[in-house]
Amino acid sequence: MKKFSKGRRLYREACKIIPGGVQLLSKRPEIYLPNQWPSYYKSAKGCEILTYDNTRLYDFTNCSVGMCPLGYSNKTVNTAVIKTVKSGNTTVLNSHLEVECAKLILNFHKWAQMVRFTKSGGEAMSVAVR
């Protein structure tokens, strides 16, 4: 199949320098369609993806690594993220947005008494166990 040949070539190259060929095991092309899955993309918007080989596809799998109800490159989300990055999103201090977000979550989930944010699912599980 010639359709995704550039992407498959890049994947074979990646396998030589990245164990398993990709950083996230859940994104290995073998999971979906071995030797025929379009491993890499150039851009994505909504549910449409432009592959590394310039083929347009619709993502009806699992939307990257998990649920993505807003689609890729959502204008409202992008605007908020860019605004936050420009205001300095990584500092030694905590953002007031943490408190605002925690209040919103507690308002939605009346059963909860507190909110804890984590960076990953693994970290969330560790916090839950503790």
Side-chain angles (χ1 to χ4, degrees):
M1 180 180 213
K2 196 172 182 180
K3 192 172 192 175
F4 303 119
S5 59
K6 284 174 62 179
R8 284 198 315 275
R9 253 192 324 275
L10 183 59
Y11 180 67
R12 283 192 300 273
E13 181 182 334
C15 285
K16 294 175 185 175
I17 60 173
I18 301 170
V22 295
Q23 298 300 331
L24 293 174
L25 296 176
S26 60
K27 288 184 149 188
R28 289 187 346 262
E30 294 86 18
I31 292 173
Y32 300 103
L33 192 58
N35 299 314
Q36 294 181 35
W37 193 256
S39 310
Y40 299 94
Y41 75 97
K42 285 186 178 179
S43 64
K45 187 160 183 74
C47 68
E48 198 171 280
I49 297 175
L50 180 64
T51 71
Y52 191 67
D53 294 273
N54 293 315
T55 301
R56 292 202 178 277
L57 301 172
Y58 291 104
D59 184 356
F60 295 118
T61 57
N62 64 2
C63 291
S64 182
V65 181
M67 191 176 108
C68 189
L70 301 175
Y72 302 113
S73 193
N74 178 278
K75 186 176 181 177
T76 303
V77 173
N78 289 355
T79 300
V81 168
I82 290 166
K83 179 182 174 189
T84 302
V85 168
K86 286 182 177 180
S87 70
N89 64 318
T90 305
T91 71
V92 70
L93 301 178
N94 302 294
S95 171
H96 65 94
L97 296 174
E98 272 186 29
V99 179
E100 290 178 34
C101 187
K103 286 178 182 177
L104 280 172
I105 291 170
L106 290 171
N107 189 45
F108 286 123
H109 301 288
K110 303 293 184 191
W111 52 267
Q113 297 171 356
M114 299 180 91
V115 174
R116 178 71 178 202
F117 299 109
T118 61
K119 293 184 256 180
S120 69
E123 184 182 10
M125 291 305 297
S126 293
V127 168
V129 168
R130 284 186 211 133

